[in-house]
Each structure stands twice: as C-alpha cells, then as structure tokens.
Amino acid sequence: MDIERSISALNNPMRRRILEWLKDRSNFPPALPGHEDIEGVCVAYIQEKAKLSQSTISNYMGLLKQAGFVRAERHGQWTFYRRDEENIQEFLTAVQAELLKK
Amino acid sequence: MDIERSISALNNPMRRRILEWLKDRSNFPPALPGHEDIEGVCVAYIQEKAKLSQSTISNYMGLLKQAGFVRAERHGQWTFYRRDEENIQEFLTAVQAELLKK
DNA sequence: TCCATATATCGAGGTATCTCGATATTCTTC
DNA sequence: GAAGAATATCGAGATACCTCGATATATGGA
C-alpha cells in the first residue's frame, strides 16, 4: 500500500470519476456477448464515456491499478477493470490514520 | 470544501508531514515569550524542522490553508498556523463518500 | 498465415508543480 | 521614521504531469 502513489492517482478529476463509474456496471454499455459473467469493464467502454484518447485511458487505468484502486483481468483481447474494494478501504483507513489527530 | 484543492495539497510528502507535526505542539520549540497561550506554530519553526526555504514553507502553508487543513492567525509579526480539525474531518468524510461504494 | 480489433507503450508538446533566491510587505523597537 | 525581523509574494529554472497521435504487442477469426 503506497499512499504516495494512491494520492497521486486520485489527484486527477477524471481518474476519480472513472473510479465512481466503476461502482456500478450499469454506467456502461451491456457486457460483450459471451462475457456476461465477467466482472469489470473493458477499456473501450471507459474511453467512450470519458471522451479521452485510448492511450490516455489505458495510462489512467494503469495508474489506478498501480495505486491499488482497481484490478485488471485479461480475457482474450480485452482487459476488464474493476474496483478493488478491499484496497480502497485500506487506503481510506491509512489516510484517515495519517490525517486524523487521535 | 474544495476536494480538488485538498487532494492537491495532500499530494506532497512534506505538506503531509507538516500536517502531522502540527498534531502536537511539542514537535516544535517552546512558544515565544509572551505567546504561550496562542495556539499554533510560527512559520520559522516549521521551516527549521522541514529544512526547506522560507518562501517554500510560506507557500506550502498558504496551500494548506486554501485547502482548509490549517488556519492562520496573525499576532504581531508572526503568523501562527494550526490544524483545522473540523475541516480535516469534513474532507475525510467527503473523500470517503466519493470513494466508498455504498 | 494474414488481417482486424483491443490494449499497451513510446515520444513529444503544453501545462502545472516544486523549490529557490530576491524582493516586497508588515510589524516592532529604538 | 529608520532599522531589523517575520512573513508573503514574485520570477525563474528544473522537474513532473497531462494528453495526444503513432507505433508496438497480443489475441481471434478467415
């Protein structure tokens, strides 16, 4: 858990928005046929919603992954990203311990 | 409460360390004579501990203040900075609401 | 094997942040 | 009001971040 990297990843409005979008699969188009049971959203869907370039979104997801906020799972040619709730909770606990007085 | 500005202020290790130092007055030299009852720490003390230039620390404290993490109080030629626990708590609640799923 | 698709990586231009020294401002004291 | 001290602001060079298009890599299908 690298709090430095995590805060840095959060220091960008679009990356935070993506994290919010990923709370609910229904923020994105329906799953690809044959992939209905896979948790997570492919990069193309996130890019479409964010309206940023493919390389930027791929980079963002890599940063969010390094920060521990998301997990990536490859299925065929797609990479599916989903939130890592445990790590997110761990980060919140850590930042709270660092910021709060007692 | 500008979460954008707050996260940006936290996105620097020394600024976070200063916030931690300010949890406890005893992290700094004793109060100046005649100012024993004033809450907060003057810029010079923070600078001495941080070992960064005066202008940098002044700038950092300004950023922490804009972010709502500290309050500034002028007494004569000194500016005393102290943590704003209410705003810190408010920030933590806000970031938790944004990050946490339910 | 060759091609199309999805994603990752690379290189670069623009912008913001970091940090400093120099200077300005504010306040105290003589 | 002049000098000195504490802090704030300014200007600048170095570094990091943002974002893109171009290219590379991996996968699936004809």
Side-chain angles (χ1 to χ4, degrees), chain A residues 5 8-9 23 26 30 49 66 87 93 95 97:
Chain A
R5 188 164 287 187
S8 182
K23 288 179 185 174
S26 75
K49 201 168 170 68
Q66 284 182 33
N87 275 343
T93 303
V95 80

Side-chain angles (χ1 to χ4, degrees), chain A residues 56-68:
Chain A
T56 296
I57 297 301
S58 181
N59 175 29
Y60 281 9
M61 298 318 293
L63 292 174
L64 289 173
K65 184 183 162 202
Q66 284 182 33

Side-chain angles (χ1 to χ4, degrees), chain B residues 26 37 40-41 53 58 71 81 102:
Chain B
S26 75
D37 53 345
V41 179
S53 77
S58 181
R71 289 173 175 275
Y81 286 97
K102 41 180 175 178

Side-chain angles (χ1 to χ4, degrees), chain A residues 25 30-40 75-78 80:
Chain A
R25 244 301 340 213
L32 302 159
H35 298 85
E36 290 86 357
D37 53 346
I38 296 176
E39 269 189 285
H75 286 263
Q77 50 194 152
W78 294 279
F80 294 87

Side-chain angles (χ1 to χ4, degrees), chain B residues 40-51:
Chain B
V41 179
C42 66
V43 174
Y45 283 1
I46 302 171
Q47 185 205 341
E48 182 184 353
K49 202 169 168 68
K51 297 190 206 309

